[in-house]
Amino acid sequence: MRASTSRPQNGNAPMGSAGLMRSEGGDIPEGLQLVTGAIAMARLHARDGVSGADASLGSLLQIRGRIYGNNSRQPEAIVDLDESISIFQRLIVDDGQTALKPHLARSERHRKEAEMGKALSDID
């Protein structure tokens, strides 16, 4: 049974979700391209102070990290997951966004899995 994949959302969420679905369907380059594009947009939105953009960026990095980790690209997965963890920690500690704790826990779990060379699970 698959766990809920609800994530902080803004306008970049559909591209991130589409990228994950494409990669899980076997089109890894297209999936990565979609997620990377969504990450670039989220970075611009975060820089411009768009509400929710930082949380969306953390989730998109988590998604791309998962794609990398599930395709034997652990070093790249770890970089993305480290950034995702940092973003979620900052939002939780500095901004009091405690609702993001499950997202932080997921990024931390995926980071450990990537470090061990395992596939990154989607179960919480």
Side-chain angles (χ1 to χ4, degrees):
M1 185 170 171
R2 192 170 215 185
S4 169
T5 56
S6 67
R7 302 193 180 282
Q9 305 231 340
N10 70 18
N12 302 313
M15 284 186 5
S17 295
L20 181 61
M21 289 186 336
R22 290 272 175 101
S23 68
E24 288 180 344
D27 192 350
I28 296 155
E30 176 70 19
L32 282 171
Q33 183 177 7
L34 287 169
V35 176
T36 299
I39 288 170
M41 290 299 297
R43 286 189 196 285
L44 289 173
H45 290 158
R47 186 195 70 210
D48 292 342
V50 174
S51 177
D54 287 328
S56 180
L57 177 58
S59 288
L60 289 164
L61 288 162
Q62 182 186 97
I63 289 170
R64 189 172 68 180
R66 186 168 146 206
I67 294 169
Y68 283 144
N70 284 334
N71 291 285
S72 302
R73 294 172 68 175
Q74 273 66 23
E76 291 146 304
I78 289 169
V79 168
D80 279 354
L81 293 166
D82 281 346
E83 186 176 355
S84 175
I85 289 166
S86 176
I87 290 168
F88 287 135
Q89 285 174 335
R90 178 179 48 81
L91 292 171
I92 291 166
V93 173
D94 295 349
D95 297 346
Q97 295 185 38
T98 58
L100 295 174
K101 285 182 178 182
H103 302 286
L104 172 60
R106 183 182 296 125
S107 287
E108 290 172 335
R109 187 186 71 247
H110 287 329
R111 170 62 165 85
K112 289 176 188 171
E113 291 167 339
E115 191 171 339
M116 293 187 295
K118 293 183 175 182
L120 280 56
S121 64
D122 63 347
I123 299 171
D124 290 324

